[in-house]
């Protein structure tokens, strides 16, 4: 009896319903907690581009006190509403989705890290996105108010090789970018480059180069492209700020 | 008449078997050493190489494997008389995959940082040969309680090995244990960490040494 086709079909059907049901219940009931974790992780990532957060730090409080965010377009105009008239919130913009659009049509979130007095901008934290060796890489680039010097970076990845390309998430690798320059004296974009190979000696590099990743040249190349691209995408916005013409528009400028 | 008494005797023997009889203790203890799934059966190697760079994710991985093995063994053993033999493999896989998906969801909700470190490897518990091997070799033919003990034994055998590997890899590769900087704490600031230990190659070395030591002690020879 147990070998008949009818029994097998019924058994499989019941099994599918029971297991599927269990998964559905788990997925629905855990969704809020997961969403909260992702939000917390995003805020932690944004903040850790400019400061050291210890494990028990109250990320949400620090974030609410220190970060002010805006959304800009390619021309450097602040955008408040998208094409359909919905309000744009920098924290809710999915950089991965924006990355798929043409660079001229993307929305670019800017996170302003405010000084303790709450008035002046200490540094700007900009999301960056690009291609690593196996899949997408992403992170945050923190620059000083004049958009010349890198204050700090955080990187993350989807599928880089553990121990090789995945080292871009190591604090030791990210610290190499601190204090490097994005533009030369005449204001031309140079960006920061990871060199091929790894010497372990940071003092031999100038202010536009950092030590590379041994065995992960392709991932390092991805990081280079990502930083240079996004430094270019944000250039218009910082030109406007430096010229004192930061302006707001509620429509999309095309 | 005589068969009746025999049967009764059999029942008597089964009823009197303690919760932790000698046979059952052996079911749990064998996989810890003499029949260890990693070092003797050489199964589950890929996850042993991949997740053991640090103690914390390794510990979470161990708990996940213990959970998945115990509950899949329990389910399959309880259903063993109902499962049609022609589709038993797919049934086993479906049960394992469901439990693994559950573990993954829970980790994402409550241990997000660890789940990011473990990334795909929690999902890959589905393909861990130890889990399905025990279902097919033991749970399909034994009672639920015995199957749970067997699963627990194998999972603990897997766990202690990967924890041992992770201990040496984190100590030598990152100079820390569970993220705690051991060498700084005892006054050695400039401990030269070994980058090799952070790569999967380091796990091969540690695992090979463990297998060597263990086989020298137990006298196990592969035929």
């Amino acid at each position: 009896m147990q070998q008949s086709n009818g029994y097998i079909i019924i058994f499989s059907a019941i099994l599918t319903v029971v297991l599927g049901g269990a998964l559905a219940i788990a997925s629905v009931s855990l969704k809020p907690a997961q969403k909260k974790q992702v939000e917390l992780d995003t805020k932690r990532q944004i903040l850790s581009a400019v400061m050291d957060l210890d494990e028990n730090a109250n990320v949400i409080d620090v974030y609410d006190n220190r970060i002010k965010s805006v959304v800009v377009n390619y021309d450097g105009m602040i955008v408040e509403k998208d094409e359909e008239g919905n309000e744009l919130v920098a924290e809710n913009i999915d950089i991965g989705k924006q990355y798929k659009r043409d660079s001229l049509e993307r929305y670019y979130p800017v996170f302003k890290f405010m000084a303790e007095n709450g008035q002046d901008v200490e540094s700007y934290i900009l999301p960056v996105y690009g291609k690593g060796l196996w899949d997408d890489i992403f992170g945050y680039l923190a620059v000083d108010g004049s958009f010349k010097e890198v204050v700090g970076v955080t990187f993350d990845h989807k599928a880089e090789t553990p121990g090789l390309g995945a080292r871009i998430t190591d604090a030791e690798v990210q610290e190499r970018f601190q204090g490097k320059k994005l533009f030369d004296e005449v204001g031309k974009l140079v960006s920061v480059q990871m060199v091929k190979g790894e010497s372990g000696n940071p003092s031999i590099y100038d202010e536009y180069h950092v030590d590379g990743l041994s065995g992960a040249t392709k991932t390092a190349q991805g990081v280079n492209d990502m930083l240079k691209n996004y430094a270019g995408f944000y250039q218009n916005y910082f030109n406007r700020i430096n010229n004192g013409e930061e302006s707001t528009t509620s429509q999309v400028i095309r | 008449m005589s068969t009746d008494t025999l049967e009764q005797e059999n029942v008597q023997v089964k009823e009197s078997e303690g919760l932790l009889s000698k046979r059952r203790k052996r079911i749990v203890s064998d996989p810890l050493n003499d029949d260890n799934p990693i070092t003797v059966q050489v199964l589950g190697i890929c996850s042993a190489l991949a997740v053991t760079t640090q103690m914390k994710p390794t510990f979470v991985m161990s708990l996940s494997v213990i959970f998945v093995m115990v509950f899949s063994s329990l389910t399959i053993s309880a259903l063993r008389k109902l499962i049609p033999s022609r589709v038993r493999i797919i049934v086993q896989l479906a049960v394992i995959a469901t439990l693994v998906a559950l573990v993954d969801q829970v980790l994402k909700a409550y241990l997000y940082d660890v789940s990011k470190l473990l990334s795909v490897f929690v999902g890959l518990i589905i393909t861990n040969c130890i889990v399905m091997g025990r279902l097919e070799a033991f749970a399909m033919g034994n009672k639920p309680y015995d199957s749970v003990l067997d699963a627990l034994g194998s999972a603990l055998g897997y766990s202690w090995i990967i924890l041992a590997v992770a201990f040496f890899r984190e100590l030598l590769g990152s100079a820390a244990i569970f993220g705690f900087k051991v060498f700084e704490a005892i006054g050695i600031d400039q401990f030269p960490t070994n980058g090799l230990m952070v790569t999967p190659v380091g796990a091969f070395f540690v695992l090979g040494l463990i297998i060597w030591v263990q086989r020298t002690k137990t006298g196990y020879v592969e035929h």
Side-chain angles (χ1 to χ4, degrees), chain A residues 53-136:
Chain A
L53 284 168
D54 72 69
E55 205 138 292
N56 308 315
N58 194 338
V59 175
I60 302 283
D61 272 3
V62 179
Y63 188 90
D64 289 346
N65 285 336
R66 300 296 292 274
I67 300 280
K68 279 188 186 159
S69 59
V70 292
V71 181
V72 301
N73 61 13
Y74 185 82
D75 299 322
M77 300 288 217
I78 293 177
V79 192
E80 281 167 352
K81 290 196 162 77
D82 68 3
E83 295 98 326
E84 286 141 25
N86 302 318
E87 199 152 326
L88 283 169
V89 179
E91 283 82 1
N92 295 345
I93 288 182
D94 183 338
I95 312 296
K97 264 189 201 151
Q98 297 292 320
Y99 186 70
K100 293 197 181 89
R101 302 169 63 175
D102 189 76
S103 60
L104 298 175
E105 289 176 7
R106 283 180 210 153
Y107 295 123
Y108 297 100
V110 176
F111 302 98
K112 297 177 191 168
F113 184 67
M114 311 305 281
E116 297 278 6
N117 63 20
Q119 296 297 314
D120 312 318
V121 182
E122 207 166 286
S123 50
Y124 293 88
I125 306 166
L126 315 168
V128 292
Y129 206 96
K131 289 258 173 260
L133 171 59
W134 302 115
D135 208 326
D136 296 342

Side-chain angles (χ1 to χ4, degrees), chain A residues 2-5 7-8 11-12 15 19-20 22-23 26-27 30 33-34 37-38 41 45 55 156 158 162-164, chain B residues 56 79 81-87 91 94-95 98 101-102 105-106 108-112 116 121 198-200:
Chain A
Q2 287 209 9
Q3 301 301 324
S4 76
N5 289 340
Y7 179 83
I8 292 177
F11 182 90
S12 314
L15 188 82
L19 296 182
L23 277 185
S27 170
L30 291 173
Q34 289 172 352
Q37 293 273 1
V38 172
D41 188 63
Q45 293 250 3
E55 205 138 292
D156 209 343
K158 271 190 186 153
L164 299 174
Chain B
K56 196 176 163 194
L79 292 175
K81 296 201 174 106
L82 295 173
I83 298 173
S85 60
R86 272 195 286 166
V87 292
V91 171
V95 171
T98 307
L102 275 180
Q105 296 277 330
V106 172
K108 280 206 181 109
Y110 299 108
L111 281 170
Y112 191 75
K116 275 208 313 194
F121 297 107
V198 183
T199 68

